[in-house]
Protein backbone atom coordinates (compact mmCIF):
# COMPACT_ATOMS: atom_id res chain seq x y z
CA UNK A 1 0.00 0.00 0.00
CA UNK A 2 1.40 3.38 -0.92
CA UNK A 3 1.22 6.46 1.23
CA UNK A 4 -1.72 8.08 -0.49
CA UNK A 5 -3.80 4.92 -0.18
CA UNK A 6 -2.99 4.78 3.51
CA UNK A 7 -4.00 8.39 3.94
CA UNK A 8 -7.28 7.64 2.22
CA UNK A 9 -7.86 4.70 4.53
CA UNK A 10 -7.29 7.00 7.49
CA UNK A 11 -9.76 9.47 6.01
CA UNK A 12 -12.40 6.76 5.55
CA UNK A 13 -11.82 5.41 9.05
CA UNK A 14 -12.13 8.92 10.49
CA UNK A 15 -15.36 9.55 8.59
CA UNK A 16 -16.86 6.16 9.48
CA UNK A 17 -18.10 7.63 12.77
CA UNK A 18 -21.42 9.57 12.65
CA UNK A 19 -20.29 12.15 15.25
CA UNK A 20 -17.13 12.91 13.25
CA UNK A 21 -19.17 13.20 10.05
CA UNK A 22 -21.40 15.71 11.81
CA UNK A 23 -18.35 17.68 13.00
CA UNK A 24 -16.97 17.81 9.47
CA UNK A 25 -20.35 18.95 8.11
CA UNK A 26 -20.40 21.72 10.72
CA UNK A 27 -16.82 22.79 9.92
CA UNK A 28 -17.64 22.94 6.23
CA UNK A 29 -19.68 26.02 7.13
CA UNK A 30 -17.14 27.81 9.30
CA UNK A 31 -14.23 27.25 11.71
CA UNK A 32 -15.31 26.51 15.28
CA UNK A 33 -13.75 25.95 18.69
CA UNK A 34 -14.01 22.59 20.45
CA UNK A 35 -16.52 24.19 22.84
CA UNK A 36 -18.70 25.38 19.96
CA UNK A 37 -18.48 21.96 18.34
CA UNK A 38 -19.52 20.24 21.57
CA UNK A 39 -22.70 22.28 22.07
CA UNK A 40 -25.18 20.46 19.81
CA UNK A 41 -23.81 17.02 20.69
CA UNK A 42 -24.47 16.61 24.37
CA UNK A 43 -20.94 15.28 24.76
CA UNK A 44 -18.05 16.20 27.02
CA UNK A 45 -15.31 18.48 25.73
CA UNK A 46 -12.88 15.59 26.16
CA UNK A 47 -14.96 13.33 23.93
CA UNK A 48 -15.21 16.00 21.23
CA UNK A 49 -11.47 16.70 21.57
CA UNK A 50 -10.76 13.02 20.94
CA UNK A 51 -12.89 13.07 17.80
CA UNK A 52 -11.12 16.23 16.61
CA UNK A 53 -7.77 14.52 17.19
CA UNK A 54 -8.81 11.59 14.99
CA UNK A 55 -9.85 14.03 12.26
CA UNK A 56 -6.54 15.86 12.70
CA UNK A 57 -4.50 12.67 12.34
CA UNK A 58 -6.40 11.84 9.15
CA UNK A 59 -5.38 15.25 7.79
CA UNK A 60 -8.99 16.41 7.61
CA UNK A 61 -8.72 19.32 10.05
CA UNK A 62 -6.05 21.67 11.42
CA UNK A 63 -5.94 23.64 14.65
CA UNK A 64 -4.23 27.00 14.69
CA UNK A 65 -1.38 27.02 17.18
CA UNK A 66 -1.35 30.74 17.92
CA UNK A 67 -4.84 31.81 18.88
CA UNK A 68 -6.04 31.14 22.40
CA UNK A 69 -9.35 29.75 21.18
CA UNK A 70 -7.55 27.39 18.80
CA UNK A 71 -10.44 27.12 16.34
CA UNK A 72 -10.66 23.92 14.27
CA UNK A 73 -10.28 24.46 10.53
CA UNK A 74 -11.39 22.02 7.84
CA UNK A 75 -8.72 21.14 5.31
CA UNK A 76 -10.58 21.28 2.01
CA UNK A 77 -7.86 19.61 -0.06
CA UNK A 78 -8.71 16.14 1.16
CA UNK A 79 -12.29 16.76 0.14
CA UNK A 80 -11.19 17.88 -3.30
CA UNK A 81 -9.54 14.50 -3.67
CA UNK A 82 -12.74 12.72 -2.52
CA UNK A 83 -14.77 14.83 -4.95
CA UNK A 84 -12.47 13.81 -7.80
CA UNK A 85 -12.79 10.14 -6.90
CA UNK A 86 -16.58 10.35 -6.74
CA UNK A 87 -16.67 12.15 -10.07
CA UNK A 88 -14.55 9.38 -11.57
CA UNK A 89 -17.00 6.81 -10.19
CA UNK A 90 -19.86 8.79 -11.72
CA UNK A 91 -18.13 8.95 -15.10
CA UNK A 92 -17.59 5.20 -15.10
CA UNK A 93 -21.29 4.65 -14.43
CA UNK A 94 -22.11 7.14 -17.20
CA UNK A 95 -19.85 5.29 -19.67
CA UNK A 96 -21.62 2.03 -18.78
CA UNK A 97 -25.04 3.57 -19.36
CA UNK A 98 -23.98 5.07 -22.67
CA UNK A 99 -23.18 1.55 -23.82
CA UNK A 100 -26.66 0.59 -22.64
CA UNK A 101 -28.14 3.56 -24.58
CA UNK A 102 -26.53 2.23 -27.76
CA UNK A 103 -27.78 -1.29 -27.06
CA UNK A 104 -31.33 -0.04 -26.42
CA UNK A 105 -31.22 1.82 -29.75
CA UNK A 106 -30.37 -1.44 -31.51
CA UNK A 107 -33.08 -3.31 -29.58
CA UNK A 108 -35.64 -0.77 -30.76
CA UNK A 109 -34.63 -1.44 -34.38
CA UNK A 110 -34.97 -5.18 -33.84
CA UNK A 111 -38.44 -4.81 -32.35
CA UNK A 112 -39.80 -3.04 -35.41
CA UNK A 113 -42.86 -5.30 -35.87
CA UNK A 114 -44.42 -3.58 -32.88
CA UNK A 115 -45.86 -0.24 -33.95
CA UNK A 116 -45.51 1.49 -30.61
CA UNK A 117 -42.55 3.57 -31.67
CA UNK A 118 -43.93 7.05 -31.67
CA UNK A 119 -41.53 9.38 -33.38
CA UNK A 120 -42.85 12.36 -31.51
CA UNK A 121 -39.44 13.60 -30.44
CA UNK B 1 -16.20 16.81 -21.20
CA UNK B 2 -19.12 15.99 -23.42
CA UNK B 3 -22.64 16.70 -22.34
CA UNK B 4 -25.52 14.42 -23.19
CA UNK B 5 -29.25 14.60 -22.58
CA UNK B 6 -28.97 12.19 -19.69
CA UNK B 7 -26.28 12.47 -17.11
CA UNK B 8 -25.82 9.84 -14.48
CA UNK B 9 -26.40 11.18 -10.97
CA UNK B 10 -24.64 9.73 -7.94
CA UNK B 11 -26.05 10.28 -4.46
CA UNK B 12 -24.06 9.26 -1.38
CA UNK B 13 -26.24 9.60 1.72
CA UNK B 14 -24.57 11.08 4.80
CA UNK B 15 -26.71 9.13 7.29
CA UNK B 16 -26.67 5.61 5.84
CA UNK B 17 -23.94 3.78 3.88
CA UNK B 18 -25.64 3.80 0.50
CA UNK B 19 -24.86 4.79 -3.08
CA UNK B 20 -27.76 5.72 -5.31
CA UNK B 21 -27.40 6.00 -9.06
CA UNK B 22 -30.14 7.69 -11.11
CA UNK B 23 -30.19 7.66 -14.91
CA UNK B 24 -32.88 8.15 -17.59
CA UNK B 25 -33.15 6.24 -20.86
CA UNK B 26 -34.97 6.94 -24.15
CA UNK B 27 -36.44 3.45 -24.15
CA UNK B 28 -39.43 1.78 -22.51
CA UNK B 29 -39.06 0.12 -19.12
CA UNK B 30 -39.59 -3.33 -20.67
CA UNK B 31 -36.44 -2.92 -22.77
CA UNK B 32 -34.27 -1.43 -20.03
CA UNK B 33 -35.41 -4.28 -17.77
CA UNK B 34 -34.67 -6.88 -20.45
CA UNK B 35 -31.15 -5.48 -20.87
CA UNK B 36 -30.63 -6.33 -17.17
CA UNK B 37 -32.08 -9.87 -17.09
CA UNK B 38 -31.08 -11.27 -20.51
CA UNK B 39 -27.51 -12.53 -19.91
CA UNK B 40 -26.36 -11.98 -23.51
CA UNK B 41 -27.58 -8.39 -23.48
CA UNK B 42 -26.28 -7.69 -19.97
CA UNK B 43 -22.81 -8.95 -20.82
CA UNK B 44 -22.68 -6.57 -23.78
CA UNK B 45 -22.89 -3.34 -21.78
CA UNK B 46 -22.02 -3.94 -18.13
CA UNK B 47 -18.24 -4.24 -18.14
CA UNK B 48 -15.67 -1.59 -18.95
CA UNK B 49 -14.71 -1.37 -22.59
CA UNK B 50 -11.33 -2.98 -22.07
CA UNK B 51 -12.72 -6.22 -20.61
CA UNK B 52 -15.14 -8.86 -21.75
CA UNK B 53 -17.84 -10.16 -19.46
CA UNK B 54 -18.30 -13.93 -19.38
CA UNK B 55 -21.52 -15.06 -17.69
CA UNK B 56 -20.96 -18.30 -15.77
CA UNK B 57 -24.29 -18.69 -13.90
CA UNK B 58 -27.54 -16.92 -14.69
CA UNK B 59 -31.03 -17.65 -13.42
CA UNK B 60 -32.87 -14.32 -13.44
CA UNK B 61 -35.85 -15.33 -11.34
CA UNK B 62 -36.87 -14.59 -7.74
CA UNK B 63 -34.61 -16.89 -5.71
CA UNK B 64 -32.19 -17.39 -8.62
CA UNK B 65 -28.44 -16.72 -8.84
CA UNK B 66 -25.89 -15.09 -11.11
CA UNK B 67 -22.12 -15.06 -11.59
CA UNK B 68 -19.76 -13.61 -14.16
CA UNK B 69 -16.06 -13.22 -14.83
CA UNK B 70 -14.19 -10.33 -16.43
CA UNK B 71 -11.45 -11.22 -18.91
CA UNK B 72 -8.79 -8.97 -20.35
CA UNK B 73 -6.68 -10.25 -23.26
CA UNK B 74 -8.02 -13.74 -22.64
CA UNK B 75 -7.01 -13.68 -18.97
CA UNK B 76 -9.47 -13.70 -16.09
CA UNK B 77 -9.00 -10.58 -13.93
CA UNK B 78 -12.06 -10.56 -11.65
CA UNK B 79 -15.12 -12.60 -10.73
CA UNK B 80 -18.44 -11.55 -9.19
CA UNK B 81 -21.49 -13.41 -7.96
CA UNK B 82 -24.81 -12.90 -6.18
CA UNK B 83 -28.45 -13.89 -5.78
CA UNK B 84 -31.58 -12.63 -7.48
CA UNK B 85 -33.61 -11.90 -4.35
CA UNK B 86 -36.55 -10.62 -6.38
CA UNK B 87 -37.25 -10.21 -10.08
CA UNK B 88 -40.47 -8.30 -10.80
CA UNK B 89 -40.81 -7.94 -14.59
CA UNK B 90 -40.32 -4.41 -15.96
CA UNK B 91 -40.51 -2.86 -12.48
CA UNK B 92 -37.92 -4.01 -9.97
CA UNK B 93 -34.88 -6.21 -9.41
CA UNK B 94 -33.30 -6.86 -6.01
CA UNK B 95 -29.96 -8.65 -6.09
CA UNK B 96 -26.90 -9.15 -3.96
CA UNK B 97 -23.45 -8.35 -5.35
CA UNK B 98 -20.09 -9.70 -4.20
CA UNK B 99 -16.68 -9.10 -5.76
CA UNK B 100 -14.79 -12.33 -5.06
CA UNK B 101 -11.60 -10.36 -4.41
CA UNK B 102 -13.35 -9.16 -1.22
CA UNK B 103 -15.26 -12.32 -0.24
CA UNK B 104 -16.80 -10.90 2.96
CA UNK B 105 -18.16 -7.82 1.22
CA UNK B 106 -21.70 -7.86 -0.07
CA UNK B 107 -23.91 -5.11 -1.47
CA UNK B 108 -27.71 -5.30 -1.54
CA UNK B 109 -28.88 -3.57 -4.71
CA UNK B 110 -32.43 -2.52 -5.53
CA UNK B 111 -33.09 -1.48 -9.13
CA UNK B 112 -36.35 0.26 -9.95
CA UNK B 113 -37.53 0.94 -13.49
CA UNK B 114 -39.86 3.96 -13.48
CA UNK B 115 -42.04 4.47 -16.53
CA UNK B 116 -41.85 8.06 -17.77
CA UNK B 117 -43.95 9.83 -20.40
CA UNK B 118 -43.15 9.18 -24.05
CA UNK B 119 -41.99 5.59 -23.57
CA UNK B 120 -38.96 6.63 -21.51
CA UNK B 121 -37.56 5.15 -18.29
CA UNK B 122 -35.86 6.35 -15.13
CA UNK B 123 -33.58 3.75 -13.58
CA UNK B 124 -32.66 3.98 -9.89
CA UNK B 125 -30.01 1.72 -8.42
CA UNK B 126 -29.81 1.85 -4.62
CA UNK B 127 -26.81 0.00 -3.22
CA UNK B 128 -26.50 -0.66 0.52
CA UNK B 129 -23.24 -1.84 2.10
CA UNK B 130 -22.06 -2.72 5.58
CA UNK B 131 -20.54 0.56 6.76
CA UNK B 132 -19.37 4.02 5.67
CA UNK B 133 -15.78 2.91 5.22
CA UNK B 134 -16.84 0.28 2.69
CA UNK B 135 -19.18 2.71 0.96
CA UNK B 136 -16.55 5.43 0.65
CA UNK B 137 -13.99 2.85 -0.48
CA UNK B 138 -16.29 1.74 -3.30
CA UNK B 139 -16.86 5.33 -4.38
CA UNK B 140 -13.15 6.04 -4.30
CA UNK B 141 -12.08 2.95 -6.18
CA UNK B 142 -14.83 2.64 -8.74
CA UNK B 143 -14.14 -1.03 -8.17
CA UNK B 144 -17.45 -2.39 -9.33
CA UNK B 145 -17.01 -0.87 -12.76
CA UNK B 146 -13.65 -2.23 -13.69
CA UNK B 147 -11.27 -3.14 -10.92
CA UNK B 148 -8.09 -1.96 -12.64
CA UNK B 149 -9.62 0.42 -15.12
CA UNK B 150 -8.25 3.90 -14.77
CA UNK B 151 -5.81 3.08 -11.99
CA UNK B 152 -2.98 4.63 -13.95
CA UNK B 153 -4.86 7.90 -14.02
CA UNK B 154 -5.60 7.51 -10.36
CA UNK B 155 -1.93 7.03 -9.57
CA UNK B 156 -1.18 10.25 -11.45
CA UNK B 157 -3.87 12.05 -9.53
CA UNK B 158 -2.56 10.82 -6.21
CA UNK B 159 0.98 11.72 -7.19
CA UNK B 160 -0.22 15.28 -7.79
CA UNK B 161 -1.90 15.38 -4.40
CA UNK B 162 0.96 14.10 -2.27
Amino acid sequence: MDESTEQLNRVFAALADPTRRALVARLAGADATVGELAQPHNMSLQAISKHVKVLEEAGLVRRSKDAQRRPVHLDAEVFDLMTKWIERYRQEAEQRYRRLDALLDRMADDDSPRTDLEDAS
Amino acid sequence: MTTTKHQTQILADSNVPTIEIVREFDAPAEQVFRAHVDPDLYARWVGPRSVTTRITRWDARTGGEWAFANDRDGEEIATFYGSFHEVRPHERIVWTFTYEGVPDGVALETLTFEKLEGGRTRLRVLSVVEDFQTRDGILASGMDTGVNEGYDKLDELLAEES
Side-chain angles (χ1 to χ4, degrees):
Chain A
M1 256 196 220
D2 60 25
E3 214 172 306
S4 47
T5 309
E6 285 197 13
Q7 196 211 349
L8 241 116
N9 286 342
R10 278 200 299 277
V11 168
F12 293 153
L15 293 176
D17 177 272
T19 304
R20 290 197 289 269
R21 292 175 97 87
L23 294 179
V24 165
R26 165 82 198 274
L27 291 167
D31 292 5
T33 63
V34 169
E36 287 164 343
L37 289 172
Q39 272 164 14
H41 286 284
N42 235 339
M43 285 170 93
S44 69
L45 287 178
Q46 286 97 322
I48 294 292
S49 278
K50 255 188 205 165
H51 281 308
V52 169
K53 204 164 178 57
V54 174
L55 292 171
E56 215 172 349
E57 280 164 3
L60 286 163
V61 303
R62 279 189 307 238
R63 300 192 64 185
S64 48
K65 291 273 182 279
D66 47 351
Q68 259 191 327
R69 296 166 62 246
R70 297 197 65 205
V72 184
H73 172 80
L74 187 67
D75 193 340
E77 269 180 37
V78 179
F79 280 91
D80 289 349
L81 178 62
M82 288 284 286
T83 307
K84 281 180 191 163
W85 283 51
I86 290 172
E87 177 54 21
R88 200 180 63 99
Y89 180 90
R90 197 194 68 75
Q91 282 174 4
E92 284 181 347
E94 175 62 23
Q95 293 306 323
R96 192 165 63 228
Y97 289 134
R98 281 186 201 173
R99 289 192 295 272
L100 179 52
D101 284 334
L103 180 68
L104 290 164
D105 276 351
R106 287 199 296 274
M107 283 166 75
D109 295 344
D110 296 346
D111 289 355
S112 299
R114 287 169 40 198
T115 49
D116 57 358
L117 295 168
E118 295 163 282
D119 273 325
S121 51
Chain B
M1 278 292 288
T2 54
T3 52
T4 57
K5 294 170 292 179
H6 310 306
Q7 280 290 330
T8 302
Q9 289 176 290
I10 302 280
L11 306 158
D13 198 294
S14 55
N15 299 311
V16 281
T18 59
I19 300 171
E20 189 173 23
I21 302 178
V22 183
R23 176 67 151 69
E24 291 180 13
F25 295 93
D26 291 330
E30 289 77 8
Q31 287 196 341
V32 183
F33 177 86
R34 206 181 115 206
H36 281 80
V37 294
D38 177 321
D40 297 332
L41 293 175
Y42 187 71
R44 277 161 64 184
W45 66 268
V46 72
R49 216 172 270 287
S50 62
V51 308
T52 50
T53 298
R54 179 166 43 88
I55 307 275
T56 51
R57 294 199 299 276
W58 197 268
D59 180 13
R61 294 179 300 175
T62 295
E65 61 165 345
W66 64 269
F68 63 77
N70 278 345
D71 301 328
R72 182 181 281 131
D73 305 328
E75 198 181 330
E76 185 176 285
I77 55 164
T79 54
F80 308 86
Y81 78 94
S83 305
F84 285 102
H85 176 77
E86 186 191 8
V87 178
R88 193 186 304 169
H90 320 315
E91 284 180 26
R92 181 174 140 108
I93 297 169
V94 182
W95 62 32
T96 58
F97 185 101
T98 290
Y99 162 54
E100 294 202 53
V102 186
D104 288 353
V106 57
L108 175 69
E109 298 196 334
T110 301
L111 292 74
T112 47
F113 302 81
E114 291 173 39
K115 289 184 173 150
L116 303 176
E117 282 185 7
R120 299 174 56 255
T121 306
R122 180 183 297 125
L123 171 69
R124 286 178 186 275
V125 182
L126 178 68
S127 186
V128 186
V129 293
E130 185 179 11
D131 53 33
F132 284 110
Q133 231 171 314
T134 305
R135 193 278 303 272
D136 294 350
I138 290 171
L139 281 174
S141 68
M143 186 184 76
D144 75 345
T145 54
V147 189
N148 294 316
E149 185 92 340
Y151 268 31
D152 299 345
K153 267 190 239 160
L154 189 59
D155 289 339
E156 284 169 23
L157 171 69
L158 290 167
E160 285 169 20
E161 298 282 340
S162 55

